[in-house]
Amino acid sequence: MTDALFGLFYLVAIVVVILHFTGWLEEHNMEWLVFVMAVLVFPVVIFL
């Protein structure tokens, strides 16, 4: 089950990065998602 959660987390992170580089997040004022994902990476990496 934890492998599925890690996979889901990384899938969401990749989607956020792609949307950031295409400019979609900035157009919709959702750039804060990049910072949220950056903060959430540290606990996930420590948990591994």
Side-chain angles (χ1 to χ4, degrees):
M1 181 64 177
T2 57
D3 289 338
L5 292 176
F6 283 127
L8 181 63
F9 174 78
Y10 285 116
L11 179 66
V12 170
I14 290 169
V15 168
V16 167
V17 168
I18 290 171
L19 291 175
H20 168 69
F21 282 115
T22 59
W24 190 88
L25 291 176
E26 186 176 4
E27 291 175 11
H28 293 87
N29 294 324
M30 297 179 70
E31 279 290 316
W32 55 270
L33 282 176
V34 176
F35 299 113
V36 169
M37 292 307 296
V39 168
L40 290 178
V41 164
F42 293 107
V44 170
V45 170
I46 291 172
F47 185 70
L48 285 174

Short mmCIF file of all heavy atoms in Angstrom, two decimals:
data_model
loop_
_atom_site.label_atom_id
_atom_site.label_comp_id
_atom_site.label_asym_id
_atom_site.label_seq_id
_atom_site.Cartn_x
_atom_site.Cartn_y
_atom_site.Cartn_z
N MET A 1 0.83 -1.20 0.00
CA MET A 1 0.00 0.00 0.00
C MET A 1 0.88 1.26 0.00
O MET A 1 0.53 2.24 -0.65
CB MET A 1 -0.92 -0.03 1.22
CG MET A 1 -1.85 1.14 1.30
SD MET A 1 -2.97 1.16 -0.07
CE MET A 1 -3.96 2.53 0.31
N THR A 2 1.97 1.24 0.75
CA THR A 2 2.81 2.43 0.80
C THR A 2 3.47 2.69 -0.55
O THR A 2 3.69 3.85 -0.90
CB THR A 2 3.89 2.31 1.89
OG1 THR A 2 4.66 1.16 1.65
CG2 THR A 2 3.27 2.26 3.27
N ASP A 3 3.76 1.63 -1.31
CA ASP A 3 4.33 1.83 -2.64
C ASP A 3 3.36 2.57 -3.54
O ASP A 3 3.76 3.42 -4.33
CB ASP A 3 4.71 0.49 -3.27
CG ASP A 3 5.91 -0.15 -2.59
OD1 ASP A 3 6.68 0.59 -1.95
OD2 ASP A 3 6.07 -1.38 -2.71
N ALA A 4 2.08 2.26 -3.42
CA ALA A 4 1.07 2.94 -4.22
C ALA A 4 0.98 4.42 -3.83
O ALA A 4 0.82 5.29 -4.69
CB ALA A 4 -0.29 2.27 -4.05
N LEU A 5 1.09 4.70 -2.53
CA LEU A 5 1.04 6.10 -2.08
C LEU A 5 2.25 6.88 -2.55
O LEU A 5 2.13 8.04 -2.95
CB LEU A 5 0.92 6.16 -0.56
CG LEU A 5 -0.40 5.65 0.02
CD1 LEU A 5 -0.35 5.66 1.54
CD2 LEU A 5 -1.56 6.47 -0.49
N PHE A 6 3.44 6.25 -2.50
CA PHE A 6 4.63 6.91 -3.01
C PHE A 6 4.49 7.17 -4.51
O PHE A 6 4.83 8.25 -5.00
CB PHE A 6 5.88 6.08 -2.75
CG PHE A 6 6.36 6.15 -1.34
CD1 PHE A 6 6.58 4.99 -0.62
CD2 PHE A 6 6.60 7.36 -0.73
CE1 PHE A 6 7.02 5.04 0.68
CE2 PHE A 6 7.04 7.43 0.58
CZ PHE A 6 7.25 6.26 1.28
N GLY A 7 3.98 6.20 -5.23
CA GLY A 7 3.78 6.37 -6.67
C GLY A 7 2.81 7.49 -6.97
O GLY A 7 3.04 8.30 -7.88
N LEU A 8 1.74 7.55 -6.22
CA LEU A 8 0.75 8.62 -6.40
C LEU A 8 1.34 9.98 -6.09
O LEU A 8 1.12 10.96 -6.81
CB LEU A 8 -0.47 8.36 -5.51
CG LEU A 8 -1.60 9.37 -5.61
CD1 LEU A 8 -2.19 9.36 -7.01
CD2 LEU A 8 -2.65 9.06 -4.57
N PHE A 9 2.14 10.07 -5.01
CA PHE A 9 2.78 11.33 -4.65
C PHE A 9 3.70 11.80 -5.77
O PHE A 9 3.66 12.96 -6.17
CB PHE A 9 3.57 11.17 -3.35
CG PHE A 9 4.37 12.39 -3.01
CD1 PHE A 9 3.76 13.49 -2.45
CD2 PHE A 9 5.73 12.45 -3.28
CE1 PHE A 9 4.48 14.63 -2.14
CE2 PHE A 9 6.46 13.58 -2.97
CZ PHE A 9 5.84 14.67 -2.41
N TYR A 10 4.54 10.89 -6.28
CA TYR A 10 5.48 11.28 -7.33
C TYR A 10 4.76 11.60 -8.63
O TYR A 10 5.19 12.48 -9.38
CB TYR A 10 6.54 10.21 -7.53
CG TYR A 10 7.56 10.22 -6.43
CD1 TYR A 10 7.71 9.13 -5.58
CD2 TYR A 10 8.36 11.34 -6.21
CE1 TYR A 10 8.63 9.16 -4.55
CE2 TYR A 10 9.28 11.38 -5.18
CZ TYR A 10 9.42 10.28 -4.36
OH TYR A 10 10.32 10.32 -3.35
N LEU A 11 3.65 10.94 -8.91
CA LEU A 11 2.86 11.27 -10.10
C LEU A 11 2.31 12.69 -10.00
O LEU A 11 2.40 13.47 -10.95
CB LEU A 11 1.73 10.26 -10.27
CG LEU A 11 0.82 10.49 -11.46
CD1 LEU A 11 1.59 10.28 -12.76
CD2 LEU A 11 -0.37 9.57 -11.39
N VAL A 12 1.77 13.03 -8.84
CA VAL A 12 1.25 14.39 -8.62
C VAL A 12 2.39 15.41 -8.72
O VAL A 12 2.23 16.48 -9.31
CB VAL A 12 0.52 14.49 -7.27
CG1 VAL A 12 0.20 15.93 -6.92
CG2 VAL A 12 -0.73 13.64 -7.28
N ALA A 13 3.54 15.08 -8.15
CA ALA A 13 4.68 16.00 -8.21
C ALA A 13 5.12 16.24 -9.65
O ALA A 13 5.41 17.37 -10.04
CB ALA A 13 5.84 15.44 -7.39
N ILE A 14 5.16 15.20 -10.46
CA ILE A 14 5.55 15.34 -11.87
C ILE A 14 4.54 16.19 -12.61
O ILE A 14 4.92 17.05 -13.42
CB ILE A 14 5.71 13.95 -12.51
CG1 ILE A 14 6.95 13.27 -11.94
CG2 ILE A 14 5.81 14.05 -14.02
CD1 ILE A 14 7.07 11.80 -12.28
N VAL A 15 3.26 15.98 -12.35
CA VAL A 15 2.23 16.79 -13.01
C VAL A 15 2.36 18.26 -12.62
O VAL A 15 2.26 19.15 -13.48
CB VAL A 15 0.82 16.25 -12.66
CG1 VAL A 15 -0.27 17.22 -13.08
CG2 VAL A 15 0.61 14.89 -13.30
N VAL A 16 2.63 18.53 -11.34
CA VAL A 16 2.80 19.92 -10.89
C VAL A 16 4.00 20.56 -11.59
O VAL A 16 3.94 21.72 -12.02
CB VAL A 16 2.94 19.99 -9.35
CG1 VAL A 16 3.41 21.36 -8.90
CG2 VAL A 16 1.61 19.65 -8.70
N VAL A 17 5.10 19.82 -11.71
CA VAL A 17 6.29 20.37 -12.37
C VAL A 17 6.00 20.66 -13.84
O VAL A 17 6.38 21.71 -14.37
CB VAL A 17 7.49 19.40 -12.21
CG1 VAL A 17 8.63 19.78 -13.13
CG2 VAL A 17 7.94 19.38 -10.78
N ILE A 18 5.31 19.75 -14.51
CA ILE A 18 4.98 19.97 -15.93
C ILE A 18 4.07 21.19 -16.09
O ILE A 18 4.30 22.03 -16.96
CB ILE A 18 4.32 18.71 -16.53
CG1 ILE A 18 5.35 17.59 -16.64
CG2 ILE A 18 3.69 19.01 -17.88
CD1 ILE A 18 4.78 16.24 -17.01
N LEU A 19 3.06 21.29 -15.23
CA LEU A 19 2.16 22.45 -15.31
C LEU A 19 2.89 23.75 -14.98
O LEU A 19 2.55 24.80 -15.53
CB LEU A 19 0.96 22.25 -14.36
CG LEU A 19 -0.01 21.16 -14.76
CD1 LEU A 19 -1.08 20.99 -13.68
CD2 LEU A 19 -0.64 21.42 -16.11
N HIS A 20 3.87 23.67 -14.11
CA HIS A 20 4.67 24.86 -13.78
C HIS A 20 5.47 25.33 -15.00
O HIS A 20 5.47 26.51 -15.33
CB HIS A 20 5.61 24.55 -12.62
CG HIS A 20 6.65 25.59 -12.39
ND1 HIS A 20 6.36 26.84 -11.90
CD2 HIS A 20 7.99 25.59 -12.59
CE1 HIS A 20 7.47 27.55 -11.81
NE2 HIS A 20 8.48 26.80 -12.23
N PHE A 21 6.13 24.39 -15.67
CA PHE A 21 6.98 24.78 -16.80
C PHE A 21 6.18 25.16 -18.04
O PHE A 21 6.68 25.89 -18.89
CB PHE A 21 7.98 23.68 -17.12
CG PHE A 21 9.14 23.65 -16.17
CD1 PHE A 21 9.34 22.57 -15.34
CD2 PHE A 21 10.03 24.71 -16.09
CE1 PHE A 21 10.40 22.54 -14.45
CE2 PHE A 21 11.09 24.70 -15.20
CZ PHE A 21 11.27 23.62 -14.38
N THR A 22 4.95 24.71 -18.15
CA THR A 22 4.12 25.13 -19.28
C THR A 22 3.45 26.48 -19.02
O THR A 22 2.90 27.08 -19.93
CB THR A 22 3.03 24.08 -19.60
OG1 THR A 22 2.21 23.89 -18.45
CG2 THR A 22 3.65 22.78 -20.03
N GLY A 23 3.47 26.94 -17.76
CA GLY A 23 2.89 28.23 -17.43
C GLY A 23 1.43 28.16 -17.01
O GLY A 23 0.82 29.19 -16.72
N TRP A 24 0.87 26.97 -16.96
CA TRP A 24 -0.54 26.83 -16.62
C TRP A 24 -0.82 27.27 -15.19
O TRP A 24 -1.85 27.90 -14.93
CB TRP A 24 -0.98 25.38 -16.82
CG TRP A 24 -2.45 25.17 -16.74
CD1 TRP A 24 -3.34 25.28 -17.75
CD2 TRP A 24 -3.20 24.85 -15.56
NE1 TRP A 24 -4.60 25.03 -17.28
CE2 TRP A 24 -4.54 24.77 -15.95
CE3 TRP A 24 -2.87 24.63 -14.23
CZ2 TRP A 24 -5.55 24.47 -15.04
CZ3 TRP A 24 -3.88 24.33 -13.33
CH2 TRP A 24 -5.20 24.25 -13.75
N LEU A 25 0.08 26.92 -14.28
CA LEU A 25 -0.14 27.28 -12.87
C LEU A 25 -0.13 28.80 -12.67
O LEU A 25 -0.93 29.33 -11.90
CB LEU A 25 0.94 26.63 -11.98
CG LEU A 25 0.88 25.12 -11.84
CD1 LEU A 25 2.05 24.63 -11.01
CD2 LEU A 25 -0.43 24.67 -11.24
N GLU A 26 0.76 29.48 -13.38
CA GLU A 26 0.83 30.93 -13.23
C GLU A 26 -0.42 31.60 -13.80
O GLU A 26 -0.93 32.56 -13.22
CB GLU A 26 2.07 31.46 -13.93
CG GLU A 26 2.30 32.93 -13.71
CD GLU A 26 3.59 33.43 -14.33
OE1 GLU A 26 4.28 32.63 -15.00
OE2 GLU A 26 3.89 34.60 -14.14
N GLU A 27 -0.92 31.08 -14.90
CA GLU A 27 -2.14 31.66 -15.49
C GLU A 27 -3.34 31.54 -14.57
O GLU A 27 -4.23 32.38 -14.59
CB GLU A 27 -2.46 30.96 -16.81
CG GLU A 27 -1.48 31.24 -17.92
CD GLU A 27 -1.77 30.42 -19.16
OE1 GLU A 27 -2.84 29.78 -19.23
OE2 GLU A 27 -0.92 30.42 -20.06
N HIS A 28 -3.36 30.48 -13.78
CA HIS A 28 -4.50 30.23 -12.90
C HIS A 28 -4.19 30.56 -11.43
O HIS A 28 -4.93 30.15 -10.53
CB HIS A 28 -4.94 28.77 -13.02
CG HIS A 28 -5.51 28.47 -14.38
ND1 HIS A 28 -4.71 28.08 -15.43
CD2 HIS A 28 -6.77 28.52 -14.84
CE1 HIS A 28 -5.47 27.89 -16.48
NE2 HIS A 28 -6.71 28.15 -16.16
N ASN A 29 -3.11 31.31 -11.19
CA ASN A 29 -2.71 31.73 -9.84
C ASN A 29 -2.59 30.55 -8.88
O ASN A 29 -3.06 30.60 -7.74
CB ASN A 29 -3.68 32.77 -9.28
CG ASN A 29 -3.63 34.06 -10.05
OD1 ASN A 29 -2.57 34.47 -10.50
ND2 ASN A 29 -4.78 34.69 -10.23
N MET A 30 -1.94 29.49 -9.33
CA MET A 30 -1.76 28.30 -8.51
C MET A 30 -0.28 27.95 -8.34
O MET A 30 0.06 26.80 -8.11
CB MET A 30 -2.52 27.12 -9.12
CG MET A 30 -4.02 27.33 -9.18
SD MET A 30 -4.87 25.95 -9.91
CE MET A 30 -4.64 24.72 -8.66
N GLU A 31 0.59 28.95 -8.45
CA GLU A 31 2.02 28.71 -8.29
C GLU A 31 2.37 28.21 -6.90
O GLU A 31 3.41 27.60 -6.70
CB GLU A 31 2.81 30.00 -8.57
CG GLU A 31 3.02 30.27 -10.03
CD GLU A 31 4.00 29.29 -10.66
OE1 GLU A 31 5.05 29.02 -10.05
OE2 GLU A 31 3.70 28.81 -11.74
N TRP A 32 1.50 28.44 -5.94
CA TRP A 32 1.74 27.99 -4.58
C TRP A 32 1.85 26.46 -4.51
O TRP A 32 2.46 25.92 -3.59
CB TRP A 32 0.65 28.50 -3.64
CG TRP A 32 -0.73 28.13 -4.07
CD1 TRP A 32 -1.55 28.85 -4.87
CD2 TRP A 32 -1.45 26.95 -3.72
NE1 TRP A 32 -2.75 28.19 -5.05
CE2 TRP A 32 -2.70 27.02 -4.36
CE3 TRP A 32 -1.16 25.84 -2.94
CZ2 TRP A 32 -3.66 26.01 -4.23
CZ3 TRP A 32 -2.12 24.83 -2.82
CH2 TRP A 32 -3.35 24.94 -3.45
N LEU A 33 1.28 25.75 -5.49
CA LEU A 33 1.39 24.29 -5.51
C LEU A 33 2.84 23.82 -5.62
O LEU A 33 3.20 22.78 -5.08
CB LEU A 33 0.57 23.70 -6.66
CG LEU A 33 -0.92 23.62 -6.46
CD1 LEU A 33 -1.60 23.12 -7.72
CD2 LEU A 33 -1.25 22.72 -5.29
N VAL A 34 3.66 24.59 -6.32
CA VAL A 34 5.08 24.24 -6.46
C VAL A 34 5.74 24.27 -5.09
O VAL A 34 6.51 23.37 -4.74
CB VAL A 34 5.79 25.19 -7.45
CG1 VAL A 34 7.27 24.89 -7.51
CG2 VAL A 34 5.16 25.10 -8.81
N PHE A 35 5.44 25.28 -4.30
CA PHE A 35 6.03 25.40 -2.97
C PHE A 35 5.50 24.32 -2.03
O PHE A 35 6.25 23.78 -1.22
CB PHE A 35 5.78 26.79 -2.40
CG PHE A 35 6.39 27.88 -3.23
CD1 PHE A 35 5.60 28.78 -3.91
CD2 PHE A 35 7.77 27.99 -3.34
CE1 PHE A 35 6.16 29.77 -4.69
CE2 PHE A 35 8.34 28.98 -4.11
CZ PHE A 35 7.53 29.87 -4.79
N VAL A 36 4.23 23.99 -2.14
CA VAL A 36 3.66 22.93 -1.32
C VAL A 36 4.33 21.60 -1.63
O VAL A 36 4.70 20.85 -0.73
CB VAL A 36 2.13 22.84 -1.53
CG1 VAL A 36 1.56 21.59 -0.90
CG2 VAL A 36 1.45 24.08 -0.98
N MET A 37 4.52 21.29 -2.91
CA MET A 37 5.17 20.04 -3.29
C MET A 37 6.62 20.03 -2.82
O MET A 37 7.12 18.99 -2.39
CB MET A 37 5.09 19.82 -4.79
CG MET A 37 3.70 19.55 -5.31
SD MET A 37 2.85 18.21 -4.47
CE MET A 37 3.86 16.83 -4.90
N ALA A 38 7.29 21.18 -2.88
CA ALA A 38 8.68 21.24 -2.42
C ALA A 38 8.78 20.96 -0.93
O ALA A 38 9.68 20.25 -0.48
CB ALA A 38 9.27 22.61 -2.75
N VAL A 39 7.85 21.48 -0.15
CA VAL A 39 7.86 21.24 1.29
C VAL A 39 7.50 19.79 1.60
O VAL A 39 8.07 19.18 2.51
CB VAL A 39 6.87 22.21 2.00
CG1 VAL A 39 6.64 21.81 3.43
CG2 VAL A 39 7.39 23.63 1.90
N LEU A 40 6.62 19.20 0.83
CA LEU A 40 6.19 17.82 1.09
C LEU A 40 7.23 16.79 0.67
O LEU A 40 7.18 15.65 1.12
CB LEU A 40 4.88 17.53 0.35
CG LEU A 40 3.66 18.24 0.89
CD1 LEU A 40 2.44 17.92 0.03
CD2 LEU A 40 3.40 17.86 2.34
N VAL A 41 8.19 17.17 -0.16
CA VAL A 41 9.20 16.21 -0.60
C VAL A 41 10.08 15.76 0.57
O VAL A 41 10.44 14.58 0.65
CB VAL A 41 10.07 16.83 -1.73
CG1 VAL A 41 11.34 16.04 -1.93
CG2 VAL A 41 9.27 16.87 -3.01
N PHE A 42 10.40 16.65 1.48
CA PHE A 42 11.32 16.32 2.56
C PHE A 42 10.78 15.20 3.46
O PHE A 42 11.51 14.23 3.73
CB PHE A 42 11.69 17.56 3.37
CG PHE A 42 12.51 18.53 2.58
CD1 PHE A 42 11.97 19.71 2.12
CD2 PHE A 42 13.82 18.23 2.27
CE1 PHE A 42 12.72 20.60 1.39
CE2 PHE A 42 14.59 19.11 1.55
CZ PHE A 42 14.04 20.30 1.09
N PRO A 43 9.54 15.24 3.94
CA PRO A 43 9.05 14.12 4.77
C PRO A 43 8.97 12.81 3.97
O PRO A 43 9.23 11.75 4.53
CB PRO A 43 7.67 14.56 5.22
CG PRO A 43 7.61 16.02 5.01
CD PRO A 43 8.58 16.35 3.94
N VAL A 44 8.63 12.90 2.71
CA VAL A 44 8.54 11.68 1.91
C VAL A 44 9.91 11.04 1.75
O VAL A 44 10.07 9.83 1.88
CB VAL A 44 7.89 11.98 0.54
CG1 VAL A 44 7.99 10.78 -0.38
CG2 VAL A 44 6.44 12.37 0.72
N VAL A 45 10.93 11.85 1.50
CA VAL A 45 12.27 11.31 1.34
C VAL A 45 12.78 10.74 2.65
O VAL A 45 13.41 9.68 2.68
CB VAL A 45 13.23 12.41 0.81
CG1 VAL A 45 14.67 11.95 0.87
CG2 VAL A 45 12.84 12.79 -0.61
N ILE A 46 12.50 11.39 3.76
CA ILE A 46 12.92 10.88 5.07
C ILE A 46 12.20 9.56 5.38
O ILE A 46 12.79 8.64 5.94
CB ILE A 46 12.67 11.94 6.16
CG1 ILE A 46 13.62 13.11 5.98
CG2 ILE A 46 12.80 11.34 7.56
CD1 ILE A 46 13.33 14.29 6.87
N PHE A 47 10.94 9.46 5.00
CA PHE A 47 10.17 8.25 5.25
C PHE A 47 10.69 7.05 4.45
O PHE A 47 10.56 5.93 4.89
CB PHE A 47 8.69 8.50 4.93
CG PHE A 47 7.81 7.33 5.28
CD1 PHE A 47 7.58 7.01 6.61
CD2 PHE A 47 7.22 6.57 4.29
CE1 PHE A 47 6.76 5.94 6.94
CE2 PHE A 47 6.41 5.50 4.62
CZ PHE A 47 6.17 5.18 5.94
N LEU A 48 11.29 7.31 3.30
CA LEU A 48 11.84 6.22 2.50
C LEU A 48 12.95 5.55 3.26
O LEU A 48 13.26 4.45 3.17
CB LEU A 48 12.37 6.74 1.17
CG LEU A 48 11.33 7.10 0.14
CD1 LEU A 48 12.01 7.74 -1.08
CD2 LEU A 48 10.54 5.91 -0.31
#
